[in-house]
Amino acid sequence: MNQLIIGNKNYSSWSLRPWLLLRELDIPFSEVKIPLYAEGSKEELLQYSPSGKVPAFCHESVTVWDSLAICEFVVDLYPEKNYWPLQLKDKAYARSISNEMHSGFFAIRNSLPMNCRKKMVFKNISESLKSDIDRVCEIWRICREKHPESGPFLFGDFSIADAMYAPIVLRFNSYGIPVGDTENDYMNTILSLSSLKEWVAEGIAEKEFLADCELEA
């Protein structure tokens, strides 16, 4: 019934977001992986998504593309699941930070490409990158300080907001980005998820190599 089309697990941060949400909320789906930037991959992707990009989500005759759009569509399919915080004020904040991630943080995206295999200390931190890192840490810190007793995620229970920020956790972990104690505890919460561990292990095992995503120490 549900089919999720993704790219390389080692590199595709946008694919990870809906995949992690579906897994954490125990929603059944089949997975189709199409290696990015390989010969014929664009044509294959266009069979599933009019954008020719990943991820895409197919449910019966409906196709949805774009990570956040997929997450919101899944909310419509399974309204009984806890995708957003229950309180209206928290839900508004969760939506705001999720959309902020969706449309911003270009310095992080450009300077720290997602790479599950990578383990290094990135030292060439520009002012724009530092600004992005500081803002992410501020978001995590504010969320956790507001919800210290309700659970270990940004709003207590796992939500779309956590799925949206999971690739940033992987990036910070890969490149040794220093964060505060509260942010580090949150990162450890995400990194300890069995579903994320599975994604990372399968990403590391992939054979594809994208030079643009391979930074040197």
Side-chain angles (χ1 to χ4, degrees):
M1 182 181 294
N2 298 324
Q3 190 176 54
L4 183 68
I5 294 82
I6 64 172
N8 314 61
K9 288 187 173 178
N10 191 48
Y11 300 118
S12 183
S13 60
W14 290 111
S15 296
L16 170 58
R17 292 177 167 105
W19 186 94
L20 188 63
L21 182 75
L22 292 166
R23 287 295 303 273
E24 282 302 304
L25 297 184
D26 198 27
I27 295 170
F29 70 99
S30 62
E31 173 187 309
V32 177
K33 186 171 71 172
I34 301 175
L36 303 178
Y37 308 113
E39 184 177 354
S41 62
K42 183 76 170 183
E43 291 74 16
E44 189 173 359
L45 284 168
L46 284 169
Q47 296 179 29
Y48 297 98
S49 168
S51 70
K53 298 178 180 180
V54 292
F57 183 78
C58 302
H59 174 81
E60 298 179 351
S61 62
V62 178
T63 298
V64 186
W65 56 101
D66 178 274
S67 290
L68 192 51
I70 292 170
C71 291
E72 290 282 15
F73 179 69
V74 172
V75 171
D76 294 334
L77 286 179
Y78 301 92
E80 73 280 3
K81 299 287 186 177
N82 188 17
Y83 299 92
W84 293 118
L86 297 179
Q87 297 296 320
L88 184 61
K89 183 178 180 180
D90 291 339
K91 185 184 293 186
Y93 197 89
R95 281 182 162 143
S96 294
I97 64 170
S98 295
N99 278 277
E100 184 176 353
M101 168 52 60
H102 188 265
S103 61
F105 299 105
F106 295 108
I108 290 178
R109 301 185 202 283
N110 295 331
S111 301
L112 307 176
M114 191 170 107
N115 188 330
C116 297
R117 301 188 197 107
K118 189 61 65 178
K119 198 66 177 176
M120 61 178 279
V121 177
F122 186 87
K123 297 181 178 179
N124 187 26
I125 298 181
S126 64
E127 285 300 315
S128 59
L129 178 56
K130 182 179 184 303
S131 178
D132 274 6
I133 292 170
D134 288 348
R135 175 57 182 153
V136 168
C137 287
E138 179 185 36
I139 288 170
W140 292 351
R141 190 166 56 251
I142 289 172
C143 288
R144 290 306 307 132
E145 288 174 353
K146 285 184 176 180
H147 307 88
E149 305 298 333
S150 54
F153 298 101
L154 290 177
F155 296 89
D157 294 328
F158 187 91
S159 72
I160 288 174
D162 297 291
M164 292 301 292
Y165 280 87
I168 302 299
V169 171
L170 289 182
R171 284 176 159 105
F172 284 9
N173 185 62
S174 289
Y175 298 104
I177 301 301
V179 300
D181 291 343
T182 299
E183 303 92 279
N184 188 65
D185 288 345
Y186 174 66
M187 286 180 57
N188 287 335
T189 292
I190 297 299
L191 291 169
S192 68
L193 293 173
S194 58
S195 55
L196 191 71
K197 289 180 179 179
E198 177 187 333
W199 175 282
V200 169
E202 293 179 1
I204 291 172
E206 289 175 344
K207 304 302 182 183
E208 295 86 8
F209 182 89
L210 299 180
D212 289 346
C213 298
E214 297 289 341
L215 302 186
E216 297 299 328

